[in-house]
Amino acid sequence: MLSRKTKYGFKALSFLARREDNEPVQIEVISKAENISQKFLESILLTLKKAGYLGAKKGKGGGYYLLEKSRNTPIAAFYRVLEGPIAMVPCVSLNFYEKCEDCPDEDLCSVHNLMIQVRDNTLSIMENTSLSDFVKNQLT
Amino acid sequence: MLSRKTKYGFKALSFLARREDNEPVQIEVISKAENISQKFLESILLTLKKAGYLGAKKGKGGGYYLLEKSRNTPIAAFYRVLEGPIAMVPCVSLNFYEKCEDCPDEDLCSVHNLMIQVRDNTLSIMENTSLSDFVKNQLT
DNA sequence: TATTATCCTATCGATTTAGTAGAGTTTGCA
DNA sequence: TGCAAACTCTACTAAATCGATAGGATAATA
């Protein structure tokens, strides 16, 4: 299941993408518009900024804004920053690979092979959807 | 990410499916073969039994065995018993639906619509894979 | 310099996860 | 009948994670 962190992050990104101008928006505005706890959202936006997807401006008239490149960044990238691996088991993760200590042979493991299929399908969606798709389809 | 409970459950089911005879197998045998903590596996197998997928026999020569129908039961069913909803958010779950309290309109929600796609793709895999497929492909 | 708004660290309660302990119950067999 | 084998059930626990809150530090603006 998706954590609230990721869900809120997606909604905040979607909110910022819907504004054509990339003017800074205060955390408070986003949190009220999307019904998100302000302090929690604060830490989420900071994470996205540190990851290089958002810009921020301090002081009056400040806030967070979408960096231009983020409009066409696949959702998969945001997901990895907020939630972690897209794969359901570390042994099929492309970006966070880890061997299972209990499994002698990955190629013969039923779970491994099933989860590769799931990963590939999920990836194909998340790599081919961007914030601009959300805007295009009027999604909030 | 998949919990160990689900992963272990899948491996135990796969183990039982590989035996053509549906003779009872002791927990200890499965736990050693698959490198799973015996007591933990105990509770997992009990869950699967209560859900109607495994049979059990007490006393000498007892153990757990696969019910015949379970061979062709889709993995999705086992997943729901062990892990819960397949959907990544409750508002797109078919079997565990819940409305998001923060979301005014599901049809316009970017997260909702994205997760419907993910769910449908994951479902198509999990509904079309069974234990007999594992056996067929020699997967442990 | 006062105000505004992000940045950062620390903490917290509740829940979940991955087990462990141990007694109870049923079955097979001598 | 009685013992041993093996599942059944309840309860407990340590550790991690989640969702959130508190409060001060820092930077930008007027």
Side-chain angles (χ1 to χ4, degrees), chain A residues 121-135:
Chain A
N121 274 266
T122 305
L123 266 184
S124 73
I125 296 167
M126 293 205 185
E127 290 288 2
N128 290 299
T129 306
S130 66
L131 296 180
S132 57
D133 295 319
F134 286 168
V135 176

Side-chain angles (χ1 to χ4, degrees), chain A residues 65-85:
Chain A
Y65 54 93
L66 203 62
L67 295 183
E68 202 41 57
K69 61 154 197 170
S70 301
R71 255 174 220 285
N72 296 310
T73 300
I75 291 295
F78 303 128
Y79 186 99
R80 290 197 183 98
V81 165
L82 295 168
E83 189 80 17

Side-chain angles (χ1 to χ4, degrees), chain B residues 113-124:
Chain B
N113 284 277
L114 182 69
M115 293 307 157
I116 282 184
Q117 292 180 58
V118 174
R119 179 204 67 193
D120 285 343
N121 274 266
T122 306
L123 266 184
S124 74

Side-chain angles (χ1 to χ4, degrees), chain A residues 26-27 42 46 49-50 56 59 64:
Chain A
Q26 292 165 44
I27 297 171
E42 210 178 296
L46 192 56
K49 190 214 149 190
K50 283 181 178 168
Y64 283 96

Side-chain angles (χ1 to χ4, degrees), chain B:
Chain B
M1 298 283 280
L2 213 63
S3 66
R4 274 164 203 265
K5 183 176 170 186
T6 304
K7 186 183 166 197
Y8 292 164
F10 283 179
K11 296 197 110 180
L13 286 165
S14 175
F15 181 91
L16 290 173
R18 257 173 289 138
R19 315 178 59 109
E20 305 88 61
D21 58 351
N22 282 358
E23 290 301 299
V25 183
Q26 294 164 44
I27 298 171
E28 195 186 356
V29 173
I30 307 176
S31 89
K32 286 192 173 149
E34 300 291 340
N35 294 305
I36 304 171
S37 144
Q38 181 168 341
K39 274 295 202 178
F40 192 26
L41 181 59
E42 216 177 291
S43 68
I44 296 169
L45 294 176
L46 192 56
T47 301
L48 288 169
K49 191 215 149 189
K50 283 181 178 169
Y53 297 120
L54 295 180
K57 207 180 148 194
K58 291 183 179 178
K60 188 159 194 178
Y64 282 95
Y65 53 93
L66 203 62
L67 295 183
E68 202 42 54
K69 61 154 197 169
S70 300
R71 254 174 220 284
N72 297 309
T73 299
I75 292 295
F78 302 129
Y79 187 98
R80 291 198 182 97
V81 165
L82 295 169
E83 189 79 17
I86 289 171
M88 280 186 148
V89 278
C91 70
V92 303
S93 174
L94 300 175
N95 292 264
F96 301 83
Y97 175 83
E98 267 177 64
K99 192 182 179 316
C100 301
E101 67 279 7
D102 60 298
C103 189
D105 187 349
E106 285 183 2
D107 293 337
L108 294 178
C109 174
S110 51
V111 177
H112 181 84
N113 284 277
L114 182 69
M115 293 307 157
I116 282 184
Q117 292 180 58
V118 174
R119 179 204 67 193
D120 285 343
N121 274 266
T122 306
L123 266 184
S124 74
I125 296 166
M126 292 206 186
E127 291 289 1
N128 290 299
T129 306
S130 66
L131 296 179
S132 57
D133 295 318
F134 286 167
V135 175
K136 209 180 301 167
N137 297 315
Q138 305 288 338
L139 299 178
T140 63

